[in-house]
Amino acid sequence: EEKVLETFDKDRGDWTSLQGTESAYSAEHEGALQVSIRQKNSGVQWIGAQDFSGWDKLKFDIHGVGKPKTITLLVADADGRTYRSWYQRIASGPNVLEYSLRCFASAVPEQEKTNVLNLKRIKKLQLTIENLPADESVNFFLDNVRLSRGPEPRVQSEQPKEVKPVVSVPGNV
């Protein structure tokens, strides 16, 4: 089961650009947010109020353009607590980034419980590129921001075909 948070079908939704980033609605790319990052530690963010409780994963469809790159997700709740997930790699072409919400709501044992996010009060999502050389830029299309729960749908695969040897020699069958 999935709950769509943003599809960018008609506009950029509630996503804004951070300094050093340009973003715009792209009708040419099937209604996605076109993002162009020109400086490190920059990207796009959503600020609002959302209840993520009862869901298992946060997912983003990202169509990478150019060289592979790494992206960082920052999530914050209304109480000011944050969770950062570093280094999800996005390749050129279609990618689905998945983040376990259990990680957002679990404290690292040696840390205090104050680092645990309140999933009922998510306030901010931020996607950034942290390590960007000064002479480079990063471009991608963001689409279908969603929550999911339950088992993933299984893809029905074809039955394996019988493989026959090219040459039939006694002893190789």
Side-chain angles (χ1 to χ4, degrees):
E1 178 182 1
E2 289 191 335
K3 175 184 177 183
V4 175
L5 302 176
E6 187 65 69
T7 62
F8 305 103
D9 284 343
K10 296 183 175 131
D11 59 28
R12 63 182 298 126
D14 294 326
W15 287 78
T16 59
S17 300
L18 300 173
Q19 184 175 351
T21 298
E22 294 177 12
S23 62
Y25 166 72
S26 172
E28 294 90 33
H29 205 271
E30 299 179 6
L33 186 65
Q34 183 176 3
V35 179
S36 180
I37 300 173
R38 294 193 164 75
Q39 72 182 44
K40 68 181 181 176
N41 300 320
S42 190
V44 291
Q45 70 181 2
W46 166 87
I47 296 179
Q50 192 66 245
D51 183 354
F52 284 16
S53 64
W55 296 93
D56 298 328
K57 292 180 183 174
L58 173 63
K59 296 180 181 181
F60 301 88
D61 289 347
I62 293 187
H63 187 98
V65 177
K67 298 187 306 186
K69 64 232 23 117
T70 55
I71 197 162
T72 298
L73 170 70
L74 174 102
V75 182
D77 68 14
D79 301 319
R81 293 177 292 226
T82 60
Y83 173 86
R84 186 179 306 266
S85 175
W86 284 277
Y87 310 123
Q88 279 269 11
R89 191 161 177 79
I90 54 174
S92 183
N95 300 265
V96 177
L97 301 186
E98 293 186 8
Y99 299 91
S100 168
L101 296 180
R102 290 186 186 129
C103 291
F104 301 174
S106 300
V108 176
E110 61 270 9
Q111 295 179 343
E112 296 180 24
K113 281 280 194 193
T114 56
N115 291 335
V116 177
L117 293 183
N118 181 346
L119 294 180
K120 291 183 179 193
R121 301 181 66 205
I122 297 300
K123 181 181 177 182
K124 177 163 85 172
L125 302 175
Q126 189 176 74
L127 292 168
T128 60
I129 303 292
E130 295 191 357
N131 298 317
L132 184 65
D135 60 340
E136 289 186 26
S137 64
V138 171
N139 298 289
F140 61 85
F141 293 90
L142 173 63
D143 204 2
N144 300 318
V145 180
R146 62 205 182 275
L147 299 169
S148 71
R149 68 174 154 225
E152 295 291 323
R154 292 185 178 250
V155 177
Q156 185 107 15
S157 61
E158 294 181 23
Q159 292 293 329
K161 296 178 182 176
E162 182 181 349
V163 179
K164 295 182 180 180
V166 176
V167 179
S168 181
V169 177
N172 80 341
V173 182

